[in-house]
Amino acid sequence: MTEAGDAADWCPDGWQRGTFPHRDHSHAFYVIDRSRPGLALPSVMLMHEFPGITTDLVQLANTLAQDFRVVVPSIFGRDGARKPVEALKQICVRREVQALARNGVSAAVGWLRDFADEHVARRRDEPYGVIGMCFSGNFALALAVDPRVAAAVVAQPSIPIWPCALGLSQENRNKLQSRTDLRVQGYRFRRDWISPAAKLRAAERLLGLDKMQTFPLSEPNERQHSTLTGDSRNETALRGLRSFLAERLAARPDNGQQLDGDLVE
C-alpha cells in the first residue's frame, strides 16, 4: 500500500497527523483543533493546491484554525515540500489524466467523501465546510452533495482542463441542484489564465445565484493564480472566506466525544 504525502517525520507544530487507508492507497492527513473546553469548533476540510501541502497551505490552515477545527487531507505530492514532478507521477499512477483532461469525475472524490464522513464530520450530523483550490477547486462542489456540507468554497478551479467543465457526474449535478440549504462562494483573479472564468460561471448556472456568489479579484495582481495562499493571497478574500464560514457554521457545545484517537502529534 502506498501513501500519499509520505513524509512520516513531517508535521507542523500544533498539528496532529493521522493515516486514512482506502483500497490500495493510504493517505496522510492532519488536524488542527483548538477547541476550548465545553465548546467544539466547527469543522472545515481544507484541500490543498498543486503540487501538495506546502508552507503556504500551512499558513492558511493556521489562520483558519483560529475559528475552526481544520482537517487537511494529503491528496498528492510530498507533504512539506514542493515536488511537482513527484506529484504529477502520483496523479498519472492513479489514472487521473484522462478524467481530468476531459469532463470526468476525479478518482480522488470517492475516497475524499469517505474521508470527510469519518474524519471531518466524524459520522455526526453537524454541518461542516469544504474548501478546494486550484487542482482541488471543483472537489468542493463534488463533496457538497453531502447534505451536511453547509458551506463550500471554490477557489481558482483549474481542473478539468476544458474551460467550463466542473468534473461532476449527472447524479452529482442533480443532487447539488436539489439542495436548498447549500451556499457556495467562488474566488479567482480576473485575468488568471490557469483558472478560466467559464468554470465559476458554469458553477453559477448549475447552482443559481441564490446559492452561489463569485468574487473576481484584482489585488495584488489580477494575473495571479492563488487567491488564498502565498504572496498573491487577497486579504479581502481571506476575510470574506472566514466570515462566510463563520456565518454558515456554528460552534457547538462539546459533548465530550473524542473520535480522532488514531492521530499522533
Side-chain angles (χ1 to χ4, degrees):
M1 177 179 286
T2 59
E3 179 172 339
D6 191 5
D9 58 343
W10 185 87
C11 188
D13 291 343
W15 292 31
Q16 292 178 299
R17 177 188 169 106
T19 300
F20 178 71
H22 190 270
R23 296 182 182 175
D24 60 341
H25 287 89
S26 179
H27 298 266
F29 71 94
Y30 305 87
V31 177
I32 315 102
D33 189 355
R34 297 173 184 167
S35 298
R36 301 183 301 276
L39 187 67
L41 294 175
S43 294
V44 171
M45 182 161 79
L46 175 61
M47 293 175 284
H48 60 75
E49 303 163 281
F50 183 87
I53 299 176
T54 64
T55 54
D56 291 339
L57 188 282
V58 171
Q59 182 179 1
L60 174 59
N62 283 335
T63 297
L64 293 174
Q66 297 174 36
D67 309 300
F68 311 100
R69 172 181 173 268
V70 180
V71 184
V72 181
S74 183
I75 305 172
F76 48 75
R78 181 171 291 273
D79 299 346
R82 289 185 180 273
K83 293 186 176 293
V85 174
E86 185 171 330
L88 281 173
K89 287 180 179 178
Q90 291 179 8
I91 291 168
C92 292
V93 166
R94 295 175 202 165
R95 301 179 181 178
E96 291 273 19
V97 175
Q98 183 175 359
L100 299 179
R102 301 180 181 178
N103 193 16
V105 179
S106 169
V109 168
W111 77 260
L112 284 169
R113 284 179 178 150
D114 292 341
F115 171 81
D117 179 52
E118 184 171 340
H119 291 287
V120 186
R122 294 182 285 185
R123 299 199 173 114
R124 303 174 185 173
D125 291 330
E126 286 89 353
Y128 66 94
V130 293
I131 302 171
M133 303 181 292
C134 181
F135 191 101
S136 69
N138 285 327
F139 292 1
L141 290 178
L143 293 174
V145 301
D146 181 348
R148 293 170 296 185
V149 175
V153 176
V154 183
Q156 73 270 1
S158 60
I159 297 295
I161 294 173
W162 284 10
C164 60
L166 298 176
L168 298 170
S169 67
Q170 188 58 51
E171 181 182 5
N172 292 162
R173 289 172 175 271
N174 293 342
K175 287 182 177 179
L176 288 171
Q177 288 178 324
S178 68
R179 290 204 55 193
T180 59
D181 56 345
L182 173 66
R183 295 296 180 270
V184 179
Q185 285 193 346
Y187 296 94
R188 68 176 291 275
F189 285 107
R190 292 180 184 275
R191 302 182 70 180
D192 177 4
W193 65 270
I194 300 174
S195 174
K199 285 197 182 299
L200 291 182
R201 287 199 296 265
E204 285 180 336
R205 289 194 299 271
L206 175 67
L207 297 171
L209 297 179
D210 57 328
K211 295 181 189 175
M212 181 169 181
Q213 283 185 296
T214 298
F215 300 91
L217 307 172
S218 298
E219 300 293 335
N221 185 326
E222 63 183 8
R223 295 181 182 274
Q224 294 285 359
H225 179 59
S226 296
T227 57
L228 302 173
T229 60
D231 293 339
S232 68
R233 69 182 179 275
N234 182 286
E235 296 296 340
T236 301
L238 185 54
R239 287 194 298 270
L241 164 71
R242 293 174 67 181
S243 296
F244 169 64
L245 292 172
E247 178 183 347
R248 296 294 299 163
L249 308 173
R252 60 190 184 277
D254 190 353
N255 61 11
Q257 288 183 307
Q258 179 72 317
L259 300 185
D260 280 329
D262 58 337
L263 294 173
V264 294
E265 294 189 7

